[in-house]
């Protein structure tokens, strides 16, 4: 069961999408705590040095869907080994 789930959908320009990805990229590059602008608010998360990644592309008759999923453990490093 998930403790928290947030989904925000909206239309945006190519430049707005690029800005959103650039902000996420900067947060990933610097690590530590990152504040992500999600809709009307901000979400602060800890980003560790190691992540799992999944990229999925679906192509249909009139639409292309690109999903980039990043996952990481919230357990402390000592807890993750047990």
């Amino acid at each position: 069961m998930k403790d928290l789930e947030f989904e925000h959908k909206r239309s945006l320009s190519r430049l707005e999408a690029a800005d959103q990805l650039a902000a996420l990229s900067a947060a990933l590059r610097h690590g530590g705590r990152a504040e992500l602008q999600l809709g009307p608010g901000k979400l602060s998360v800890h980003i560790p040095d190691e992540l799992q990644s999944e990229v999925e592309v679906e192509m249909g008759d009139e639409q292309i869907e690109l999903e980039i999923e990043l996952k990481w453990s919230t357990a402390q490093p000592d807890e993750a080994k047990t």
Side-chain angles (χ1 to χ4, degrees), residues 21-53:
L21 289 172
L24 178 57
S25 176
L28 288 168
R29 184 168 305 283
H30 295 114
R33 292 214 74 72
E35 283 195 358
L36 306 172
Q37 186 72 39
L38 298 173
K42 289 184 181 180
L43 175 65
S44 179
V45 295
H46 172 75
I47 300 177
D49 291 337
E50 295 292 322
L51 306 135
Q52 297 173 345
S53 150

Side-chain angles (χ1 to χ4, degrees), residues 26-75:
L28 288 168
R29 184 168 305 283
H30 295 114
R33 292 214 74 72
E35 283 195 358
L36 306 172
Q37 186 72 39
L38 298 173
K42 289 184 181 180
L43 175 65
S44 179
V45 295
H46 172 75
I47 300 177
D49 291 337
E50 295 292 322
L51 306 135
Q52 297 173 345
S53 150
E54 179 180 331
V55 177
E56 182 178 327
V57 178
E58 295 180 20
M59 291 188 229
D61 292 335
E62 297 181 10
Q63 184 172 316
I64 296 175
E65 181 176 333
L66 169 64
E67 292 183 25
I68 301 170
E69 184 174 293
L70 302 172
K71 292 182 189 180
W72 59 88
S73 174
T74 57

